[in-house]
Amino acid sequence: MSESSFAAVGPEFIRFARSYEHTAYRLEVRDNYADQGEAEHVQKFLAGEPDDGAWMEDWMGLVLRRTLEGMRIERVRVITEPWSDYTRFGLNLSRLNTAAGEDIRYLSRERADELGLPTYDYWLLDSSTMGILRFDDQDVLLGADVVQDPAVVVEHARYRDLARRFAVPRAAYLNQFDDEFLRKNQINK
């Protein structure tokens, strides 16, 4: 890949991720993410303890402000069934993201493979810049290879369009399951 640089986790990565002016799209393909800011909340979720989501207020505020300004934040999450513990946590937590205006959709891993989608996470910003996310062996985000090569960006815009076409919005995805199953898995619609 030509024209790339690395944005390490921290202020550099935050600047990259928030630099969009119109649309931010993320493809998420991992079954687990080891984010220190979420670890306590994942454990509470798995223990069946309530969590008011207050720790998400900064992110939700940003999503809401940007949505009200006419910007879009979109994700497609490729998921393995049966769900991992982290996937269950993310499905439950995504109710806050979508309430703030984020468009989160779900796609089965089998369908993603059939479509030839990448097997790595990436952000695509304004269809002009992208970041291929890099993780260590313990699922901790290290940063992103930031790419502005037009051919690479266009290829990933095509992946975005394919994923969005076949992915199901959160509400519709959860409606495929009966309420008892969702309760058992601690998922709130």
Side-chain angles (χ1 to χ4, degrees), residues 11 38 57 62 96 116 130 150 164 186-187:
E38 292 179 339
E57 286 179 3
L62 175 68
L96 302 175
M130 60 167 296
R164 284 190 44 76
Q186 299 169 260
I187 312 286

Side-chain angles (χ1 to χ4, degrees), residues 8-84:
V9 166
E12 187 179 11
F13 184 83
I14 291 170
R15 269 192 306 280
F16 158 72
R18 295 183 178 182
S19 67
Y20 70 97
E21 296 177 6
H22 306 286
T23 60
Y25 167 81
R26 181 170 171 182
L27 179 69
E28 296 180 354
V29 301
R30 302 174 69 84
D31 288 325
N32 190 50
Y33 295 87
D35 182 326
Q36 285 188 347
E38 292 179 339
E40 171 189 345
H41 306 285
V42 172
Q43 291 309 311
K44 285 175 77 173
F45 172 80
L46 295 175
E49 297 173 14
D51 188 341
D52 64 5
W55 60 280
M56 292 281 294
E57 286 179 3
D58 288 346
W59 175 251
M60 296 302 95
L62 175 68
V63 171
L64 182 58
R65 281 190 306 280
R66 293 214 164 178
T67 300
L68 291 172
E69 293 169 357
M71 299 179 201
R72 290 192 331 262
I73 302 175
E74 308 167 343
R75 294 178 201 247
V76 169
R77 291 181 169 164
V78 175
I79 56 173
T80 302
E81 294 176 353
W83 301 326
S84 69

Side-chain angles (χ1 to χ4, degrees), residues 21-175:
E21 296 177 6
H22 306 286
T23 60
Y25 167 81
R26 181 170 171 182
L27 179 69
E28 296 180 354
V29 301
R30 302 174 69 84
D31 288 325
N32 190 50
Y33 295 87
D35 182 326
Q36 285 188 347
E38 292 179 339
E40 171 189 345
H41 306 285
V42 172
Q43 291 309 311
K44 285 175 77 173
F45 172 80
L46 295 175
E49 297 173 14
D51 188 341
D52 64 5
W55 60 280
M56 292 281 294
E57 286 179 3
D58 288 346
W59 175 251
M60 296 302 95
L62 175 68
V63 171
L64 182 58
R65 281 190 306 280
R66 293 214 164 178
T67 300
L68 291 172
E69 293 169 357
M71 299 179 201
R72 290 192 331 262
I73 302 175
E74 308 167 343
R75 294 178 201 247
V76 169
R77 291 181 169 164
V78 175
I79 56 173
T80 302
E81 294 176 353
W83 301 326
S84 69
D85 288 342
Y86 188 88
T87 297
R88 290 176 36 238
F89 169 75
L91 277 164
N92 187 56
L93 188 65
S94 63
R95 74 190 188 286
L96 302 175
N97 300 63
T98 56
E102 194 169 348
D103 180 355
I104 300 180
R105 297 169 184 241
Y106 293 87
L107 183 66
S108 73
R109 185 156 316 278
E110 294 78 20
R111 188 67 172 134
D113 291 346
E114 290 169 5
L115 295 170
L117 296 180
T119 57
Y120 50 85
D121 286 26
Y122 71 88
W123 276 105
L124 179 62
L125 308 178
D126 296 327
S127 297
S128 64
T129 303
M130 60 167 296
I132 298 173
L133 303 185
R134 300 296 179 205
F135 295 86
D136 70 13
D137 292 339
Q138 285 76 46
D139 301 313
V140 174
L141 178 65
L142 302 173
D145 293 321
V146 179
V147 180
Q148 293 179 313
D149 180 318
V152 175
V153 170
V154 166
E155 177 183 32
H156 286 79
R158 186 181 72 75
Y159 291 141
R160 175 203 56 208
D161 295 346
L162 265 175
R164 284 190 44 76
R165 178 176 174 205
F166 291 98
V168 179
R170 179 188 187 274
Y173 179 73
L174 292 179
N175 282 337

